[in-house]
Amino acid sequence: MDNLRVYLATWNVATQAPEEDVTALLGLSNRSSKDRLPDLYFVGLQEVKSQPQNMLLDALFDDPWTNSLRTVMAKHKYIKIKTVRLQGLVLNVFCLAHHLTHLRDIQTQFTKTGLGGMWGNKGAVTIRFNIYGCSVCVVNAHLAPHDHLLKERIADYNTIVSSQTFSVGETTRIFLHDYVFWIGDLNFRLADPNVLTGTEIKRLVSCGELKSLLDKDQLRQAMALGTAFSEMTEQIPRFPPTYKYQFHNSTYDLKRRPSWTDRVLYFVHKNVYENITLQAEQLSYTSLPQYEQSDHKPVVSEFVIKVFSDYHDRLVGFNPIGDWYLDEMNSVFCNIDDDVKISPWDWVGLYKEDFSSLDDYICYVYVSTTPLWIENSGGQSNQTGNTLKLTFPDTAPRLPGRYQVVYVTNSPVSVLGISAPFQVYSPRVQTLDWQQS
């Protein structure tokens, strides 16, 4: 078995635009060059500004929070695999570039729980995929708020679990995956509001009496009773309640009783494979009090999970790509493994060499399963045996530089191959021979 490091972060950003550097949020500010970087990142945000004009722009481009994350992650050679959004709920997934061709069957889901399921101001967004033979599912949720709505929070959880389905093998439900991580603003509060007033909670926190407060934590009580999250494990929080703070400082705002609303939980199907025991080792679980632009503090956690070291992925390899020239039709040849089932909806995208998101393709051509030349998305494709020739239109790319191509399947998405970088040059100089008379 091999190890993968998984980093999870959850933050209710209270509709604020990104103001503070997110490097510490991603655990990158104190890592030395010798420290191993996480292989996978999952960043769940709640209450991202979602007014109609914001939603329209974010449908066309990444939202400002995703852009701020990408800017930092790109410096460390991470690629954004997917963003899934439901109004103010956003879940971003990144991986180190060398893992890209080991991602299989990427699917997303969402559940609306606000106003009885009619509105997406509360609910969950989920992403699942396979990597090195193991399935991973991550849920980012924002459940019903306020002290007195415990039953609604529990109902939200059970609605999310029962309603979300996937179409990948045996992992049709959240808890059929090998590894499940559940993050978000779960909004569970502290019981006994008449005894544990905001002032009393603040006093106990200042005295370091976190255990006595956690004994009254609604989430841990619900887990013990089996009404919600009983399938999951949570390391005991050793950080102060993460809500509610005054904006732009770290003083509690006692308009709401301080509570651990922001959490990270996990589940492992340990013995699903014969003679193999899966494992998730939690390395850290903490809040980040230095962030002050929201009334919540971010919560982060890092894990090491076990995956198969000898797992064979179906792959598409690219032949060495020669020089391309602008204003010409240029081609690539790729070799298809026997276990790869080609779909006409598969596509090969053209990317800049330093691309930081799967969504950053400049153009793409569809793949054909027939041996004939067929026009596809402005280009041509031709399959001969296990070698596929793909021709890109003369309008792509438009600038000289270094590029790569990536083979991607659809329904569900898998990344099967990526080429080595190649050079695109300015148009060739055309010479004309004049016959003198």
Side-chain angles (χ1 to χ4, degrees):
M1 301 291 286
D2 277 342
N3 293 329
L4 286 182
R5 284 184 176 251
V6 178
Y7 189 100
L8 301 110
T10 176
W11 192 12
N12 183 321
V13 297
T15 73
Q16 304 298 300
E19 302 170 1
E20 300 170 297
D21 185 354
V22 297
T23 304
L25 175 70
L26 299 169
L28 295 170
S29 55
N30 295 321
R31 286 183 190 266
S32 71
S33 58
K34 297 181 180 179
D35 292 334
R36 177 175 170 178
L37 290 170
D39 299 281
L40 296 165
Y41 270 88
F42 300 90
V43 183
L45 304 172
Q46 307 85 42
E47 292 193 27
V48 174
K49 196 169 187 179
S50 57
Q51 294 177 349
Q53 64 269 28
N54 299 102
M55 294 297 292
L56 177 61
L57 288 173
D58 295 346
L60 302 174
F61 310 100
D62 281 336
D63 64 272
W65 280 100
T66 299
N67 279 328
S68 67
L69 295 168
R70 278 183 60 184
T71 298
V72 174
M73 300 298 279
K75 298 175 183 177
H76 299 272
K77 306 300 182 184
Y78 286 93
I79 294 175
K80 192 197 78 172
I81 305 307
K82 192 71 177 177
T83 298
V84 54
R85 178 167 188 176
L86 173 65
Q87 288 185 215
L89 272 168
V90 178
L91 177 60
N92 282 299
V93 184
F94 299 84
C95 80
L96 285 171
H98 67 272
H99 295 305
L100 188 63
T101 56
H102 298 280
L103 293 169
R104 297 291 180 270
D105 302 329
I106 305 166
Q107 282 193 334
T108 62
Q109 263 290 5
F110 67 87
T111 301
K112 301 177 181 179
T113 60
L115 296 177
M118 299 296 293
W119 192 242
N121 64 319
K122 296 293 186 292
V125 289
T126 303
I127 185 165
R128 64 86 56 214
F129 55 79
N130 288 15
I131 185 166
Y132 298 106
C134 290
S135 56
V136 178
C137 183
V138 178
V139 184
N140 173 31
H142 193 186
L143 306 185
H146 306 310
D147 283 7
H148 64 287
L149 295 182
L150 173 60
K151 290 182 179 179
E152 286 75 4
R153 284 186 279 283
I154 291 172
D156 286 353
Y157 168 80
N158 287 293
T159 296
I160 294 163
V161 171
S162 63
S163 67
Q164 292 199 0
T165 59
F166 304 92
S167 59
V168 181
E170 298 178 352
T171 57
T172 55
R173 298 283 184 172
I174 290 173
F175 285 107
L176 294 178
H177 290 80
D178 297 332
Y179 297 100
V180 179
F181 299 95
W182 197 302
I183 64 178
D185 179 1
L186 308 185
N187 257 322
F188 285 92
R189 309 303 171 95
L190 297 175
D192 298 337
N194 294 328
V195 176
L196 286 177
T197 63
T199 301
E200 177 63 9
I201 294 171
K202 182 179 179 181
R203 185 190 69 81
L204 291 171
V205 170
S206 65
C207 296
E209 296 291 336
L210 299 186
K211 183 181 183 306
S212 61
L213 288 174
L214 285 165
D215 289 341
K216 299 294 185 179
D217 175 60
Q218 289 179 344
L219 174 56
R220 303 189 74 79
Q221 290 178 347
M223 293 171 70
L225 292 171
T227 54
F229 293 96
S230 58
E231 303 90 340
M232 309 202 76
T233 299
E234 184 194 30
Q235 190 180 108
I236 297 174
R238 302 189 184 280
F239 48 87
T242 53
Y243 174 82
K244 173 180 171 67
Y245 286 86
Q246 296 178 20
F247 285 92
H248 302 294
N249 67 52
S250 291
T251 302
Y252 283 117
D253 180 350
L254 298 183
K255 293 177 182 177
R256 296 285 186 271
R257 296 188 307 138
S259 300
W260 284 274
T261 57
D262 311 282
R263 313 290 274 266
V264 175
L265 299 95
Y266 67 99
F267 166 84
V268 184
H269 247 134
K270 294 183 179 180
N271 299 310
V272 68
Y273 300 105
E274 186 176 358
N275 300 323
I276 295 292
T277 300
L278 298 183
Q279 179 184 346
E281 179 187 0
Q282 192 167 13
L283 304 179
S284 62
Y285 186 31
T286 188
S287 65
L288 301 176
Q290 65 267 40
Y291 286 97
E292 296 184 335
Q293 71 172 87
S294 170
D295 54 354
H296 289 252
K297 298 300 182 185
V299 171
V300 298
S301 185
E302 190 167 347
F303 292 80
V304 171
I305 65 172
K306 295 288 185 181
V307 295
F308 293 100
S309 56
D310 56 352
Y311 188 80
H312 171 72
D313 282 313
R314 59 192 194 277
L315 294 172
V316 171
F318 287 94
N319 290 354
I321 300 174
D323 296 336
W324 282 23
Y325 291 89
L326 299 182
D327 299 333
E328 296 184 17
M329 297 177 70
N330 297 282
S331 298
V332 298
F333 291 86
C334 51
N335 301 307
I336 312 297
D337 279 3
D338 291 336
D339 57 355
V340 174
K341 295 181 179 180
I342 299 177
S343 162
W345 298 111
D346 294 354
W347 53 276
V348 175
L350 177 68
Y351 293 79
K352 293 294 293 289
E353 180 183 10
D354 57 351
F355 74 98
S356 60
S357 169
L358 275 181
D359 297 327
D360 279 353
Y361 54 82
I362 296 164
C363 71
Y364 59 89
V365 292
Y366 284 116
V367 171
S368 170
T369 58
T370 73
L372 302 175
W373 289 91
I374 297 177
E375 284 290 329
N376 281 310
S377 186
Q380 294 179 318
S381 63
N382 180 37
Q383 184 188 355
T384 305
N386 288 328
T387 300
L388 187 71
K389 180 181 180 181
L390 292 157
T391 301
F392 286 77
D394 58 5
T395 56
R398 299 307 303 161
L399 294 172
R402 301 278 288 175
Y403 292 82
Q404 292 176 276
V405 290
V406 180
Y407 190 110
V408 181
T409 69
N410 270 324
S411 299
V413 170
S414 298
V415 183
L416 300 193
I418 182 169
S419 76
F422 59 94
Q423 184 69 36
V424 175
Y425 292 96
S426 298
R428 301 188 220 225
V429 176
Q430 300 294 324
T431 59
L432 297 176
D433 293 329
W434 295 91
Q435 184 177 8
Q436 294 183 356
S437 59

